[in-house]
Each structure stands twice: as C-alpha cells, then as structure tokens.
C-alpha cells in the first residue's frame, strides 16, 4: 500500500508542499463544522498527528471515517496551514477498518491505571506511543554504545539449569504433565526421578540473569554484553518489579571494580544523551505530562559526577538521618527501597554507587574483599527508583569461589562449567546488570514498571 509516513511528511514538509500525498493511520479525533470536517490522523511513526481537512461541499465521505480509532487511507493535497503548520486537503478517503463506538479510547484523557487494563489497546495513545518510541531508541543506544566500544553481543540461553543469583526465584520449565506419575502408577519417589523423566532429563528453569554464561563467553571474547529477557518469580508486588523484565549485562575481562564503575557511569550517561538527542518530542512530552522536572534532571545527570560511598558509610548516613524508616537500619541488613531513595534523592540528590556490601547479603560470585566481611560489589542507585544497576568484580580465585558456594550450600557439580573458567586461565573480570525497564522509568519519569512493558507480567497477572 503506497503511502508516506506522517513522520517523513512532517520532517521533510517543505519538499511535499502542494503535492498530492497518501497517508494511512488511525483517527485520533474528528470534528465537524457546517461546511468543513477535520480529522486528526496518527500512524505511529511520530507523536504528531496530521490534520485532514474535508470540504463537505466538494466531497462526500463515509461517515465511519469520523469514528475515533477507525483506520483510514487518505489522499489529498499537502498544504501549509496558518494554525497547524501543515494539513492535507482531502480528495479521497477510504475506511480500511471501522471502529465502533464502544472503542474504549474515546477523546478524553485516561488514567494509566485504566489503560493498564487494556494493554492491547493502550499503545494507541500518545503516552504509550511516546513510551515505546523511547524504549526503541534506548535499545538502539545500548547496542550502539557497546558496539562502538568493542564489545561482542552474545545470545545466552533463556532456558538454563543454574540459578545465577541463588535466590530461588527461578520459574520452572517443564513438559511433565501436572499429574505425572512413574510407570508403576505411584507418584515419583523423589525430585531427582521426577526431573529425570522431564524434557531435559534434569531440572530446568528460565534464566534470572545471563551473567554466568556471559562470564564464560567473556573468557574467550574479552568483552561481551547480553541484552535479553530475564525472569524472576519474585512475589514483590511493587512498582519496580516485573516477573519478566529486560536486562543489559556486560562482562569485561581484565577489569576491576573501579574500571567497571567507570564503564557503568559512562554507559548510563551515553544512553541518556542518545535518547535525549533522538527523541526530543517524546522527552518533552514526558516533561510536560509526567514529570515536570524531567529534562532538568536528565541534564543534571549528564553534567555531574555520580556519587560514591561505601555500604558502611551508607548505613551511618541512614542511621544519622533522623528518619523513621519502616525497616530499621543496621550493618548487615539489605538496603530497602526507602533507604536507597533517601540516599540518592535526599542525601546526595544524584545517582550514587554504593560499594563494598556485606558478603552475606550478596551473591556467591562476587570478589571477596581482604576484610573478610565485604565483597567488591556495587549497586547504582538513582533518584525516583532506587537500584538500577547491580554490579561486581567477580571472584577469580577458584578456592575462594568454591568456599563461598559451599557456604551457601550450592551443588558444585551443577556449576562445573562455570568453575572451569577459574580453573583454566582465570582473569580478573567484572560486570553489571542494568534493569532496562527501570532505566526507561528513569528516562521518562514513568513511576510504574507496568507502564514500560508492552504486556507486563507481574505476580498474579498474565493479561
Ligand atoms: O541486581 P541484580 O539481581 O543483578 C544480577 O542479576 C547480576 N547477575 C547482574 C550482573 O552483574 N550481570 O539485577 C540487576 C538489575 C537490578 O539492578 C534491577 O535494575 C533489575 O536488574 N531488576 C529488576 N527489574 C525489574 N523487575 C525485577 N524483578 C528486577 N530484578 C532486578
Ligand atoms: Mg541487585
């Protein structure tokens, strides 16, 4: 179907003036006066609509063309207009798909809560059109950054046998029927025999992080990154947890914790800059409708150095804050969102890397510090969200790594391939995981992760 994108039409407007053009799209609004009708048409290529002008004395139009949500193909003359910049004076309109009046997205503005109940339709609103344009550009910016810096993009498996974070939040992958029974008719006597009969002959699940496979790839390729879906069966029903989210995970050989922090800051600034440059209309939209201080905040992030403090300092700051936290703070506790928010929003008012967490609250693979208590791990906390990046130097020493795994009661035999990386030519290396959807929240000011995903999957919701 030969037609011109509305984005192209408006970007190269001068070259189309006074020519005949064909556009396709959906009716956003329509109004009628005595002799003229107006239709605002949007085709998803940009936030702006194009106005179609119909001279009722000249042209009789199918009345369905004025239904909000209807899909049209329109042909007309592209002209300058005093009020709108440009418009199309219509010669012919074809209704490609009618839209009856029970279409839920009629003119008035809707709440995001309502829109969440119709994820299949909400993408037809300006809000979600802007959101998905930024999501697309942000993805591109991620690839661009790593590609330019010599990282290889690797595709790690989604089905895996190892729980990287060790938090027991893996979704199980199985083809066993719900009432699977052993051949003699009795239930399986134990877990092992049940999984032996399963598709892979062993227990399998959806990946909670691509890190372990990423580390193995980096051991030959030097610098890699992964960018894919990640699954966690967390029962946290919060505004920043999804059961299926996207993670960006670089892994860098010959890099210590300071190197990876430097890379993390450079990466975050680079992708923000890229999106601000390529999606000015969308960022402006969010600045106007979602977070009035957004542009200012993002510019400030680009100009300032991220803060840095140790976990021990963070605990002291929180204890001296005089704040009544729901979860009391003491050395050794995991920092909760309320603590993270205080540190980054009220105390420093900018992104901050908190380093050297207690080993006991972090994963097995992190490099053990000489103090015997903490690990070379850091979380990047940002205002409005809290943790956005989880990062660490990896324990490269086989003995120390095995000791950490044994302490956590991990089955070593299931991690033989991973352990081989420490056996054969182990090197200092570091990496991080950026929560992509949280990054999108940060960039747009959108306050619920459910509004950054096309079809959000959260506990109790698969709609
Ligand atoms: O801190 P996490 O658990 O770190 C890892 O998975 C490491 N293996 C990463 C690495 O070093 N390669 O998760 C990384 C980030 C978090 O900082 C957060 O932004 C995001 O992933 N994240 C979630 N985002 C949305 N919903 C959830 N349920 C999330 N859990 C983690
Ligand atoms: Mg984390």
């Amino acid at each position: 179907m030969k037609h011109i994108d509305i984005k192209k039409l408006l970007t190269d407007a001068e070259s189309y003036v006074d020519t005949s053009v064909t556009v396709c799209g959906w009716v956003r609004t329509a109004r009628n006066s005595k002799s003229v009708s107006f239709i605002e048409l949007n085709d998803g290529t940009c936030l702006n609509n194009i106005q179609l002008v119909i001279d009722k004395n000249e042209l009789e139009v199918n009345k369905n063309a004025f239904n909000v949500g209807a899909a049209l193909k329109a042909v007309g003359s592209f002209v300058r207009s005093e009020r709108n910049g440009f418009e199309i004076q219509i010669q012919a309109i074809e209704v490609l798909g009618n839209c009856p009046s029970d279409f839920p997205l009629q003119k008035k503005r809707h709440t995001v809560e309502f829109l969440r109940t119709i994820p299949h339709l909400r993408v037809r609103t300006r809000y979600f059109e802007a959101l998905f344009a930024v999501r697309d550009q942000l993805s591109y910016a991620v690839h661009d950054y790593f590609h330019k810096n010599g990282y290889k993009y690797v595709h790690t498996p989604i089905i895996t046998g190892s729980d990287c974070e060790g938090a027991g939040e893996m979704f199980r992958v199985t083809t066993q029927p719900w009432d699977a029974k052993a051949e003699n008719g009795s239930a399986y006597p134990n877990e092992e025999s049940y999984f032996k009969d399963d598709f892979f002959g062993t227990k399998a699940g959806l990946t909670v992080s691509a890190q372990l496979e990423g580390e193995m790839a980096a051991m030959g390729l030097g610098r890699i990154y992964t960018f894919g879906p990640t699954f966690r069966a967390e029962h946290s029903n919060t505004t920043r947890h999804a059961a299926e989210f996207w993670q960006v995970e670089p892994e860098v050989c010959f890099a210590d914790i300071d190197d990876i922090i430097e890379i993390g800051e450079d990466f975050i600034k680079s992708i923000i800059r890229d999106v601000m440059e390529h999606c000015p209309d969308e960022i402006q939209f969010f600045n106007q409708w979602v977070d009035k201080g957004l542009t200012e905040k993002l510019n400030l992030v680009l100009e300032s150095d991220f803060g840095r403090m140790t976990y021990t300092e963070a605990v002291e700051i929180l204890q001296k804050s005089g704040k009544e936290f729901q979860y009391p703070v003491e050395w050794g506790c995991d920092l909760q969102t309320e603590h993270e928010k205080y540190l980054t929003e009220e105390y420093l008012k900018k992104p901050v890397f908190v380093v050297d967490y207690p080993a006991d609250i972090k994963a097995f693979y992190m490099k053990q510090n000489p103090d015997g208590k903490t690990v070379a791990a850091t979380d990047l906390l940002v205002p409005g969200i809290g943790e956005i990046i989880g990062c660490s130097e990896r324990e490269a020493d086989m003995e120390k790594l095995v000791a950490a795994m044994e302490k956590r009661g991990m089955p070593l035999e299931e991690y033989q391939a991973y352990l081989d990386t420490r056996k054969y030519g182990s090197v200092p290396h570091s990496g991080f995981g950026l929560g992509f959807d949280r990054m999108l929240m940060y960039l747009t000011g959108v306050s619920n992760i459910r509004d950054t995903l096309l079809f959000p999957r959260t506990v109790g919701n698969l709609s």
Side-chain angles (χ1 to χ4, degrees):
M1 199 173 271
K2 277 238 180 321
H3 69 283
I4 302 167
D5 286 350
I6 293 172
K7 181 174 186 169
K8 183 156 174 47
L9 201 52
L10 296 177
T11 315
D12 302 338
E14 292 303 332
S15 63
Y16 287 107
V17 169
D18 296 330
T19 66
S20 173
V21 297
T22 303
V23 291
C24 295
W26 294 269
V27 177
R28 280 286 166 84
T29 61
R31 68 199 156 86
N32 257 305
S33 70
K34 220 169 182 190
S35 55
V36 198
S37 302
F38 301 97
I39 294 173
E40 291 281 326
L41 198 74
N42 186 284
D43 68 354
T45 57
C46 66
L47 276 187
N48 291 319
N49 305 325
I50 185 79
Q51 176 160 273
L52 314 182
V53 184
I54 298 142
D55 182 342
K56 287 165 129 178
N57 300 323
E58 298 280 318
L59 190 71
E60 199 169 319
V61 169
N62 178 343
K63 69 177 183 0
N64 288 336
F66 299 99
N67 292 346
V68 172
L72 308 182
K73 177 179 170 188
V75 183
S77 173
F78 186 68
V79 295
R80 257 181 247 284
S81 108
E82 266 176 33
R83 278 185 52 237
N84 292 298
F86 298 93
E87 61 192 24
I88 302 177
Q89 283 170 351
I90 295 302
Q91 276 125 29
I93 282 195
E94 184 186 340
V95 177
L96 299 173
N98 187 24
C99 189
S101 60
D102 64 350
F103 180 56
L105 301 173
Q106 299 296 339
K107 267 180 253 174
K108 65 178 166 41
R109 279 183 67 195
H110 301 281
T111 63
V112 283
E113 289 78 14
F114 168 71
L115 294 174
R116 234 170 262 154
T117 66
I118 45 167
H120 60 300
L121 294 176
R122 67 178 180 174
V123 71
R124 301 190 194 190
T125 62
R126 255 166 90 73
Y127 188 102
F128 285 95
E129 206 186 334
L131 193 280
F132 289 112
V134 175
R135 193 171 173 112
D136 168 62
Q137 186 61 41
L138 184 61
S139 311
Y140 191 76
V142 165
H143 287 300
D144 192 49
Y145 178 86
F146 289 120
H147 188 73
K148 281 187 179 142
N149 286 286
Y151 290 67
K152 295 216 166 55
Y153 175 36
V154 299
H155 299 120
T156 47
I158 283 173
I159 302 175
T160 172
S162 51
D163 180 357
C164 170
E165 293 306 301
E169 289 160 349
M170 275 174 97
F171 283 99
R172 193 189 289 170
V173 173
T174 179
T175 52
Q176 290 269 65
W178 67 274
D179 58 349
K181 293 270 161 73
E183 264 164 27
N184 64 10
S186 66
Y188 283 99
N190 55 37
E191 230 187 290
E192 203 189 342
S193 63
Y194 175 88
F195 289 117
K196 213 164 181 204
D197 263 6
D198 207 344
F199 187 87
F200 295 103
T202 181
K203 197 170 174 176
L206 298 177
T207 184
V208 297
S209 161
Q211 179 190 324
L212 302 188
E213 293 87 357
E215 279 188 59
M216 297 182 220
M219 289 298 167
L221 302 171
R223 273 203 300 280
I224 63 95
Y225 74 103
T226 68
F227 181 9
T230 305
F231 308 86
R232 291 194 193 173
E234 282 169 294
H235 281 266
S236 359
N237 204 352
T238 77
T239 54
R240 45 175 225 155
H241 285 90
E244 178 174 328
F245 62 99
W246 283 65
Q247 216 185 147
V248 179
E249 297 184 272
E251 197 64 41
V252 189
C253 286
F254 317 109
D256 63 19
I257 186 77
D258 293 321
D259 297 326
I260 198 74
I261 285 177
E262 208 175 294
I263 292 168
E265 179 165 343
D266 186 48
F267 168 63
I268 294 290
K269 286 180 175 169
S270 162
I271 58 181
I272 291 178
R273 205 175 290 120
D274 185 308
V275 170
M276 290 184 81
E277 187 186 330
H278 291 98
C279 296
D281 293 349
E282 287 79 4
I283 295 295
Q284 186 48 40
F285 173 88
F286 289 111
N287 191 64
Q288 185 175 352
W289 297 105
V290 177
D291 176 358
K292 292 260 185 273
L294 181 68
T295 315
E296 197 186 334
K297 176 189 87 180
L298 294 176
N299 279 323
L300 202 73
V301 170
L302 293 182
E303 286 157 18
S304 56
D305 292 332
F306 291 4
R308 186 164 167 169
M309 64 175 70
T310 64
Y311 166 88
T312 305
E313 284 162 353
V315 167
E316 282 165 16
I317 291 165
L318 290 164
Q319 285 172 338
K320 286 188 194 145
S321 69
K323 287 253 160 190
E324 283 267 331
F325 293 116
Q326 191 191 341
Y327 296 90
V329 184
E330 58 181 69
W331 202 95
C333 76
D334 210 351
L335 297 184
Q336 303 294 328
T337 308
E338 55 174 349
H339 307 135
E340 295 176 345
K341 286 185 141 206
Y342 175 79
L343 293 169
T344 180
E345 278 167 30
E346 293 187 47
Y347 187 78
L348 272 185
K349 298 191 171 63
K350 61 177 183 178
V352 56
F353 284 103
V354 176
V355 295
D356 297 336
Y357 280 83
D360 289 347
I361 57 168
K362 288 290 184 188
F364 72 96
Y365 52 72
M366 297 177 175
K367 185 180 167 68
Q368 296 155 38
N369 285 330
D371 64 12
K373 289 191 305 193
T374 63
V375 282
T378 181
D379 283 355
L380 176 63
L381 315 180
V382 298
I385 296 170
E387 179 192 340
I388 196 167
I389 276 181
C391 171
S392 64
E393 181 170 343
R394 319 306 191 188
E395 183 52 78
D397 182 281
M398 175 77 128
E399 269 178 36
K400 288 186 182 164
L401 182 62
V402 167
M405 293 172 83
E406 281 173 342
K407 197 173 164 196
R408 287 166 176 79
M410 293 170 64
L412 293 187
E413 63 288 353
E414 289 176 21
Y415 292 83
Q416 279 315 310
Y418 184 67
L419 290 171
D420 271 357
T421 58
R422 285 15 181 212
K423 182 175 172 191
Y424 303 121
S426 185
V427 299
H429 63 290
S430 303
F432 64 78
L434 167 74
F436 183 79
D437 320 272
R438 288 190 189 175
M439 184 66 210
L440 196 58
M441 290 169 73
Y442 188 50
L443 258 171
T444 55
V446 166
S447 59
N448 196 317
I449 197 164
R450 291 168 180 78
D451 300 331
T452 67
L453 288 147
L454 197 54
F455 291 97
R457 269 74 175 95
T458 50
V459 56
N461 178 37
L462 194 68
S463 60

